[in-house]
Amino acid sequence: MSFFVLRTATFSIFFMLALFFAVMAGSAIATESTAPPLDRQTLIKKLQNGGNVLIIRHERTEVPSRSDDYSKDPDDCTAQRNLSIAGAAGAQETGVVLRALDIEVDRVFTSPMCRSAETARYMFGVDYEEETSLMHHEPGGPRTLDIAEQEVRGFLANLAPDLGETNIALVTHGGTVFRVSGLRLSEGEIAVLRLGDEGDVTVIGHFMGSDLAPYARQALEKSIK
């Protein structure tokens, strides 16, 4: 067997092994982070009945955008990535959809960072509360993603006893959402969580506001008739 043939065969074996392990890794991630999703109408009914935490990744941001400067105050919008025009419009549209479907949100907590606070304001109005545990972690700094996760889980544990039949919204950042829910949400996407007595999390679904827009239109048409 020539050296060229041997090298080609060896490369093919390594390529197939790499492909196999990549597929297996992707399957493991999908199995870990997703459960059988509820259909849209069932999810809407669950949301209307309350008792959920809506954990929201802030809406779409400017492209290109500046980097976050963690040495500045979190409400200094000149030192961080901010919402784009599309992001502001998307947050408003999601708020319209939730209201059209009679999905009530009793309390809204947000990261103090501008892109999260603006998402909360455009989506729910001015009646929101800033919560430092929902802040973006500090890459390379003392507040690591592990610490951010611990803080958010502690906050959820404190919310659990009083949740009852109300819905609560948390507006935060992608890394935090992933650590809590196992989901890698797009900007503006919402994960729906149920909390156990100790704040343990069960994900029952996730959606973009546009996913529920057809049902919102139907609800509005019925209300007009």
Side-chain angles (χ1 to χ4, degrees), residues 2 17 29 59 63-64 66 77 80-81 99 106 110 112 120 144 152 157 165 169 182 189 195 198 203 207 219 222:
S2 71
L17 285 171
I29 292 171
E59 257 289 358
V63 178
R66 64 179 65 83
C77 299
Q80 56 190 273
R81 197 165 90 243
R99 290 187 290 275
D106 296 84
T110 180
T144 64
V152 173
E165 296 181 357
E189 194 170 6
L195 300 184
E198 302 298 323
V203 180
F207 65 94
K222 287 181 182 178

Short mmCIF file of all heavy atoms in Angstrom, two decimals, residues 2 17 29 59 63-64 66 77 80-81 99 106 110 112 120 144 152 157 165 169 182 189 195 198 203 207 219 222:
data_model
loop_
_atom_site.label_atom_id
_atom_site.label_comp_id
_atom_site.label_asym_id
_atom_site.label_seq_id
_atom_site.Cartn_x
_atom_site.Cartn_y
_atom_site.Cartn_z
N SER A 2 0.62 2.17 -0.93
CA SER A 2 1.45 3.38 -1.00
C SER A 2 1.20 4.27 0.19
O SER A 2 0.18 4.17 0.87
CB SER A 2 1.13 4.14 -2.30
OG SER A 2 -0.17 4.71 -2.21
N LEU A 17 -14.59 9.15 12.76
CA LEU A 17 -14.65 9.14 14.23
C LEU A 17 -15.03 10.52 14.76
O LEU A 17 -15.87 10.65 15.66
CB LEU A 17 -13.30 8.71 14.82
CG LEU A 17 -12.97 7.22 14.73
CD1 LEU A 17 -11.52 6.98 15.14
CD2 LEU A 17 -13.92 6.40 15.61
N ILE A 29 -26.47 17.10 24.08
CA ILE A 29 -26.88 18.45 24.45
C ILE A 29 -28.37 18.62 24.25
O ILE A 29 -29.07 19.16 25.10
CB ILE A 29 -26.09 19.47 23.61
CG1 ILE A 29 -24.62 19.45 24.02
CG2 ILE A 29 -26.67 20.87 23.78
CD1 ILE A 29 -23.71 20.26 23.12
N GLU A 59 -33.94 41.72 24.34
CA GLU A 59 -34.22 41.78 22.90
C GLU A 59 -32.94 42.05 22.09
O GLU A 59 -31.85 42.22 22.64
CB GLU A 59 -35.28 42.84 22.62
CG GLU A 59 -36.67 42.25 22.33
CD GLU A 59 -36.77 41.53 20.98
OE1 GLU A 59 -35.78 41.51 20.21
OE2 GLU A 59 -37.85 41.00 20.70
N VAL A 63 -25.89 46.01 15.90
CA VAL A 63 -24.81 45.34 15.18
C VAL A 63 -24.24 46.33 14.17
O VAL A 63 -24.97 46.82 13.31
CB VAL A 63 -25.32 44.09 14.44
CG1 VAL A 63 -24.18 43.44 13.66
CG2 VAL A 63 -25.93 43.09 15.41
N PRO A 64 -22.93 46.65 14.24
CA PRO A 64 -22.00 46.28 15.32
C PRO A 64 -22.31 47.09 16.58
O PRO A 64 -23.04 48.08 16.51
CB PRO A 64 -20.64 46.67 14.74
CG PRO A 64 -20.95 47.80 13.81
CD PRO A 64 -22.31 47.51 13.22
N ARG A 66 -20.75 48.33 20.73
CA ARG A 66 -19.60 48.46 21.62
C ARG A 66 -19.57 47.30 22.62
O ARG A 66 -20.60 46.65 22.86
CB ARG A 66 -19.66 49.79 22.38
CG ARG A 66 -20.86 49.89 23.29
CD ARG A 66 -20.89 51.22 24.04
NE ARG A 66 -21.06 52.36 23.19
CZ ARG A 66 -22.24 52.81 22.75
NH1 ARG A 66 -23.35 52.17 23.08
NH2 ARG A 66 -22.32 53.86 22.01
N CYS A 77 -25.58 53.68 29.79
CA CYS A 77 -25.84 53.08 28.48
C CYS A 77 -24.76 53.39 27.45
O CYS A 77 -24.71 52.74 26.41
CB CYS A 77 -27.19 53.54 27.95
SG CYS A 77 -28.59 53.08 29.01
N GLN A 80 -21.99 50.20 27.12
CA GLN A 80 -22.44 48.82 26.93
C GLN A 80 -23.22 48.66 25.63
O GLN A 80 -23.56 49.64 24.96
CB GLN A 80 -23.32 48.39 28.11
CG GLN A 80 -24.51 49.30 28.36
CD GLN A 80 -25.23 48.99 29.66
OE1 GLN A 80 -26.10 48.15 29.70
NE2 GLN A 80 -24.85 49.71 30.72
N ARG A 81 -23.49 47.41 25.33
CA ARG A 81 -24.29 47.08 24.14
C ARG A 81 -25.75 47.43 24.40
O ARG A 81 -26.27 47.13 25.47
CB ARG A 81 -24.14 45.58 23.88
CG ARG A 81 -24.54 45.14 22.51
CD ARG A 81 -24.03 43.74 22.23
NE ARG A 81 -24.96 42.70 22.61
CZ ARG A 81 -24.75 41.79 23.54
NH1 ARG A 81 -23.63 41.82 24.25
NH2 ARG A 81 -25.65 40.86 23.80
N ARG A 99 -50.62 40.68 26.12
CA ARG A 99 -51.84 41.33 26.58
C ARG A 99 -53.06 40.88 25.79
O ARG A 99 -54.14 40.66 26.35
CB ARG A 99 -51.68 42.85 26.53
CG ARG A 99 -50.71 43.38 27.58
CD ARG A 99 -50.69 44.89 27.64
NE ARG A 99 -50.07 45.48 26.46
CZ ARG A 99 -48.76 45.66 26.31
NH1 ARG A 99 -47.92 45.27 27.27
NH2 ARG A 99 -48.28 46.23 25.22
N ASP A 106 -47.58 39.71 36.79
CA ASP A 106 -47.80 40.53 37.97
C ASP A 106 -46.58 41.32 38.41
O ASP A 106 -46.71 42.44 38.90
CB ASP A 106 -48.29 39.65 39.13
CG ASP A 106 -49.64 39.03 38.82
OD1 ASP A 106 -49.68 37.98 38.16
OD2 ASP A 106 -50.66 39.62 39.23
N THR A 110 -35.70 42.89 36.33
CA THR A 110 -34.76 42.97 35.21
C THR A 110 -33.34 43.22 35.69
O THR A 110 -33.11 43.84 36.72
CB THR A 110 -35.17 44.10 34.24
OG1 THR A 110 -34.23 44.15 33.16
CG2 THR A 110 -35.22 45.46 34.92
N PRO A 112 -30.11 45.31 35.71
CA PRO A 112 -30.00 46.77 35.59
C PRO A 112 -29.37 47.23 34.28
O PRO A 112 -29.44 48.42 33.96
CB PRO A 112 -29.10 47.16 36.77
CG PRO A 112 -29.09 45.98 37.68
CD PRO A 112 -29.31 44.78 36.82
N ALA A 120 -37.58 45.27 29.29
CA ALA A 120 -38.67 45.23 30.27
C ALA A 120 -39.63 46.40 30.07
O ALA A 120 -40.86 46.23 30.11
CB ALA A 120 -38.10 45.26 31.68
N THR A 144 -18.10 35.65 38.17
CA THR A 144 -18.07 34.67 37.09
C THR A 144 -19.48 34.18 36.77
O THR A 144 -20.45 34.47 37.48
CB THR A 144 -17.22 33.46 37.50
OG1 THR A 144 -17.87 32.81 38.61
CG2 THR A 144 -15.82 33.88 37.90
N VAL A 152 -28.83 33.78 40.76
CA VAL A 152 -30.16 33.69 40.15
C VAL A 152 -30.94 32.52 40.75
O VAL A 152 -32.15 32.64 41.01
CB VAL A 152 -30.05 33.55 38.62
CG1 VAL A 152 -31.42 33.28 38.00
CG2 VAL A 152 -29.46 34.80 38.01
N ALA A 157 -35.33 30.63 44.27
CA ALA A 157 -35.75 29.93 45.48
C ALA A 157 -36.57 30.85 46.38
O ALA A 157 -37.54 30.42 47.02
CB ALA A 157 -34.53 29.38 46.23
N GLU A 165 -50.53 31.59 41.77
CA GLU A 165 -51.10 31.56 40.43
C GLU A 165 -50.73 32.80 39.62
O GLU A 165 -51.39 33.13 38.63
CB GLU A 165 -52.62 31.42 40.52
CG GLU A 165 -53.06 30.10 41.14
CD GLU A 165 -54.57 29.95 41.21
OE1 GLU A 165 -55.27 30.91 40.82
OE2 GLU A 165 -55.03 28.89 41.63
N ALA A 169 -41.99 37.79 35.48
CA ALA A 169 -41.04 37.86 34.37
C ALA A 169 -39.68 38.29 34.88
O ALA A 169 -39.57 39.19 35.72
CB ALA A 169 -41.53 38.84 33.31
N GLY A 182 -30.96 25.51 30.70
CA GLY A 182 -30.39 24.60 29.72
C GLY A 182 -30.72 24.97 28.29
O GLY A 182 -30.36 24.24 27.36
N GLU A 189 -36.19 35.97 23.06
CA GLU A 189 -36.94 34.72 23.27
C GLU A 189 -37.23 34.52 24.76
O GLU A 189 -36.50 35.01 25.62
CB GLU A 189 -36.14 33.54 22.72
CG GLU A 189 -36.96 32.26 22.59
CD GLU A 189 -36.23 31.17 21.84
OE1 GLU A 189 -35.04 31.34 21.50
OE2 GLU A 189 -36.87 30.13 21.58
N LEU A 195 -41.56 26.36 39.03
CA LEU A 195 -40.64 26.24 40.16
C LEU A 195 -41.16 25.24 41.18
O LEU A 195 -42.35 25.24 41.51
CB LEU A 195 -40.45 27.60 40.84
CG LEU A 195 -39.89 28.74 40.00
CD1 LEU A 195 -39.69 29.97 40.87
CD2 LEU A 195 -38.58 28.34 39.32
N GLU A 198 -38.33 24.35 46.40
CA GLU A 198 -36.99 24.84 46.72
C GLU A 198 -36.41 25.68 45.59
O GLU A 198 -35.21 25.98 45.58
CB GLU A 198 -36.06 23.65 47.01
CG GLU A 198 -36.52 22.74 48.13
CD GLU A 198 -36.60 23.49 49.46
OE1 GLU A 198 -35.72 24.34 49.69
OE2 GLU A 198 -37.53 23.21 50.24
N VAL A 203 -38.56 23.30 32.84
CA VAL A 203 -38.88 24.09 31.64
C VAL A 203 -40.07 23.45 30.95
O VAL A 203 -40.04 22.26 30.61
CB VAL A 203 -37.68 24.13 30.68
CG1 VAL A 203 -38.02 24.94 29.43
CG2 VAL A 203 -36.45 24.71 31.37
N PHE A 207 -40.69 30.39 23.62
CA PHE A 207 -41.33 30.98 22.44
C PHE A 207 -40.80 32.38 22.18
O PHE A 207 -40.28 33.05 23.07
CB PHE A 207 -42.85 31.03 22.63
CG PHE A 207 -43.31 31.95 23.74
CD1 PHE A 207 -43.66 33.28 23.48
CD2 PHE A 207 -43.39 31.49 25.05
CE1 PHE A 207 -44.08 34.11 24.51
CE2 PHE A 207 -43.80 32.33 26.08
CZ PHE A 207 -44.15 33.65 25.81
N ALA A 219 -57.61 36.07 18.98
CA ALA A 219 -58.23 36.54 20.21
C ALA A 219 -58.79 37.95 20.03
O ALA A 219 -59.90 38.28 20.49
CB ALA A 219 -57.22 36.52 21.36
N LYS A 222 -61.99 37.87 17.92
CA LYS A 222 -63.15 37.40 18.72
C LYS A 222 -63.67 38.50 19.62
O LYS A 222 -64.88 38.63 19.84
CB LYS A 222 -62.75 36.18 19.55
CG LYS A 222 -62.58 34.91 18.73
CD LYS A 222 -62.20 33.74 19.63
CE LYS A 222 -61.97 32.46 18.81
NZ LYS A 222 -61.56 31.34 19.69
#
